[in-house]
Amino acid sequence: MWIVVTLFATVMQTARTALQQRLRSIMSVSAAGFVRYAYGAPLALVALGLTFTVFGQAVPEVPARFWLTVTVAGLAQILGTIALITAFDRRDFAIGTVYAKSEVIQVAVFSAVVLRESLTPLGWLAALVCVGGVVALAKPAAAPLRRLLRFGDGAAWYGLAAGGLFALAAVFIRLSSRSLGDGPAVVRALFTLAAMNTIQSVVNGIYLARTNRAQFVAVFSFWRSSAIVGVLSVLGSAGWALAVTLENAAKVRTLGQVELLLTFAVSHRLLGERHKRREVVASAVVMLGVLGVMLAG
């Protein structure tokens, strides 16, 4: 079941991220990130309410540590979204997403340290192959490797930061969900998602309203485009929350890297972006590493 749920979440996330990128023509980075929480949180709360009232599920017992872990997850996701959209601005949609795919090794590290759920030696090797593809993609075509290591590509650093923050969020979402006891996975996932999205809406909303009121208003002025992003966001986030409740976060996020293939398709067909053969080959290396983690991890 976790495989089906993960693939569903991947499709929803790809569509949501592409639409967020389009919102950048009328909104700032922070506002485009806030859209997913402002419209996603109410939907998550409604879904949770229906779970308790219509379907008669019991409200889980919530330990104090839940609020700490879910807050860490929410803040990491906010910062990761901002970093990812900034990576898009520095280069483009597809390449910015590839940089963030370094998440595969970062989530494996966090899972091993925080959850004591580690990959096998072959799994770690495959993860390093994935990182090698990211490095090859980041290096300018005619530049020596030392130039990348000394100066780097701005999009690469923002993308790598996004990958790390999303990895941290995935691990802490799993921690939060597991702390709710042994109730149905769907209930624990929805409760975690609703709590996290509500915290994100409050934190990001206050920040945006205080620093750029015009952009805060724009999120609601362009409600038609924004609401679609919110719907896709809550569907994708619900899928991720359920998947990491059911299975090891490293495996879930690794399977989710099939998003890369969808991203290049969306980038080419909908956004009109073109990529060099070197970039496609490097991306294929990333996907090879992803598959290796899935099969040997």
Side-chain angles (χ1 to χ4, degrees):
M1 180 179 177
W2 73 270
I3 294 177
V4 175
V5 173
T6 299
L7 293 175
F8 171 79
T10 299
V11 173
M12 294 298 102
Q13 177 174 291
T14 302
R16 182 261 299 166
T17 305
L19 290 179
Q20 270 187 309
Q21 171 67 351
R22 284 189 168 184
L23 286 177
R24 284 290 292 114
S25 63
I26 54 177
M27 294 182 189
S28 68
V29 171
S30 185
F34 176 54
V35 162
R36 63 179 295 192
Y37 314 124
Y39 290 90
L43 293 174
L45 289 170
V46 168
L48 184 64
L50 291 174
T51 299
F52 295 144
T53 57
V54 176
F55 297 102
Q57 295 292 333
V59 179
E61 293 186 12
V62 185
R65 68 180 182 277
F66 170 85
W67 299 109
L68 174 62
T69 56
V70 81
T71 298
V72 171
L75 294 178
Q77 199 172 77
I78 288 175
L79 296 174
T81 299
I82 292 173
L84 182 60
I85 296 175
T86 303
F88 294 160
D89 285 349
R90 292 298 182 94
R91 196 150 171 191
D92 68 27
F93 174 62
I95 303 305
T97 299
V98 172
Y99 287 141
K101 297 304 103 177
S102 64
E103 172 192 13
V104 66
I105 194 167
Q106 297 188 67
V107 75
V109 171
F110 287 137
S111 292
V113 173
V114 178
L115 301 174
R116 307 297 181 190
E117 299 174 347
S118 184
L119 296 174
T120 66
L122 285 177
W124 284 109
L125 179 61
L128 290 175
V129 170
C130 182
V131 173
V134 172
V135 172
L137 185 66
K139 189 178 77 68
L145 182 60
R146 64 178 180 275
R147 177 179 171 186
L148 171 65
L149 298 176
R150 288 183 60 189
F151 302 107
D153 178 347
W157 297 118
Y158 279 110
L160 291 171
L165 289 162
F166 288 145
L168 188 66
V171 170
F172 274 81
I173 288 171
R174 181 165 171 80
L175 269 176
S176 301
S177 181
R178 280 172 40 173
S179 74
L180 296 176
D182 299 323
V186 173
V187 175
R188 289 185 284 132
L190 275 177
F191 193 96
T192 301
L193 174 63
M196 184 176 71
N197 276 182
T198 300
I199 292 169
Q200 290 169 322
S201 295
V202 172
V203 171
N204 206 1
I206 291 175
Y207 171 80
L208 189 60
R210 290 177 64 87
T211 59
N212 196 330
R213 187 172 296 273
Q215 286 295 307
F216 179 81
V217 173
V219 169
F220 300 99
S221 297
F222 297 97
W223 64 269
R224 289 181 178 83
S225 299
S226 299
I228 296 173
V229 172
V231 171
L232 293 172
S233 176
V234 77
L235 291 173
S237 296
W240 290 124
L242 178 56
V244 298
T245 298
L246 295 169
E247 184 53 82
N248 180 316
K251 290 185 177 181
V252 169
R253 298 306 294 183
T254 300
L255 177 58
Q257 305 314 306
V258 297
E259 175 193 5
L260 185 59
L261 302 179
L262 297 174
T263 295
F264 268 96
V266 170
S267 170
H268 179 78
R269 297 298 297 272
L270 298 183
L271 301 181
E273 297 172 353
R274 298 294 182 267
H275 302 96
K276 299 176 182 177
R277 180 179 299 177
R278 179 181 62 85
E279 294 173 329
V280 175
V281 171
S283 299
V285 172
V286 174
M287 284 306 303
L288 180 64
V290 166
L291 291 174
V293 173
M294 273 302 297
L295 297 175

